[in-house]
Amino acid sequence: MALTASFILASASPRRLDLLAQIGITPDTVDPADIDETPLPGELPGPHALRLAESKALLVASRHAGAFVLGADTVVACGRRILPKADIIDQARQCLRLLSGRRHRVLGGICLVAPDGRVTRRLVTTTVTFKSLDQAEMDAYLAGGEWQGKAGGYAIQGRAAVFVRYVGGSYSNVVGLALHETYGLLRGQGYGQP
């Protein structure tokens, strides 16, 4: 791909870097946005994911004039409830109990700020169904520590893959970035055009 302007990833997520590399895109710079990710009162999961992705992209774009800046956020939702990015084991345990034997949604907010300041956004929804988990399975998963910092307390690309009975929609969205939609946004704004 011939680059027309630099490409900045407004995320510290190693998963997003790996996903972009999978489609042949390497950011020129990784500049994480440090924003408050607390949901607003009454905020639904979809608008929350979009707001965070846009806030990240706009903040980082203010530091990199004339660049493509990509912001993203992943939200795991059970109904209208936004599950946390698990920081402590009790949060992860509560998430797994809630997700056990149920269907949930993973909402990926994507926002691209183009060099001319145009802002485009996409919301990608993936449906995931977990099998019913027994206590031993939950304990073994939690003991591995893979849940740390993960939305909903699990990483589908890791050991939690054995919990997943069904995925409807973008798998890469659940990992951290919907690649089809991200590529479409970048191409639509002229990134990589000769």
Side-chain angles (χ1 to χ4, degrees):
M1 272 188 173
L3 302 183
T4 55
S6 60
F7 174 57
I8 314 298
L9 179 61
S11 172
S13 167
R15 291 167 304 285
R16 290 192 182 113
L17 270 176
D18 290 345
L19 286 165
L20 287 168
Q22 184 180 323
I23 60 170
I25 297 174
T26 303
D28 295 289
T29 305
V30 174
D31 185 1
D34 185 19
I35 64 167
D36 181 359
E37 298 190 12
T38 306
L40 300 174
E43 189 172 38
L44 295 175
H48 177 65
L50 276 175
R51 178 178 63 83
L52 293 183
E54 186 170 3
S55 295
K56 291 173 183 179
L58 291 173
L59 176 67
V60 173
S62 72
R63 302 193 290 243
H64 299 276
F68 288 95
V69 178
L70 181 70
D73 197 76
T74 304
V75 172
V76 174
C78 223
R80 297 164 59 99
R81 181 175 177 181
I82 298 171
L83 274 60
K85 287 184 177 151
D87 293 322
I88 57 171
I89 199 165
D90 286 341
Q91 281 181 318
R93 181 177 288 111
Q94 288 173 348
C95 288
L96 291 179
R97 284 184 181 143
L98 185 63
L99 298 175
S100 175
R102 295 182 64 177
R103 181 173 49 198
H104 63 278
R105 292 171 300 136
V106 178
L107 299 109
I110 307 166
C111 180
L112 179 67
V113 179
D116 63 4
R118 284 178 295 162
V119 176
T120 51
R121 306 179 322 160
R122 294 287 181 276
L123 180 66
V124 181
T125 303
T126 305
T127 303
V128 180
T129 304
F130 269 23
K131 73 182 204 76
S132 293
L133 308 177
D134 62 39
Q135 193 61 48
E137 288 171 316
M138 281 195 260
D139 290 345
Y141 185 72
L142 293 169
E146 187 180 78
W147 52 268
Q148 293 176 330
K150 304 294 191 302
Y154 76 93
I156 195 169
Q157 71 277 19
R159 293 184 63 202
V162 298
F163 302 157
V164 178
R165 289 180 46 226
Y166 172 80
V167 175
S170 170
Y171 174 82
S172 65
N173 183 48
V174 184
V175 178
L177 186 66
L179 291 177
H180 173 74
E181 291 77 7
T182 299
Y183 181 76
L185 282 181
L186 286 164
R187 294 285 290 180
Q189 293 298 344
Y191 178 80
Q193 301 294 330

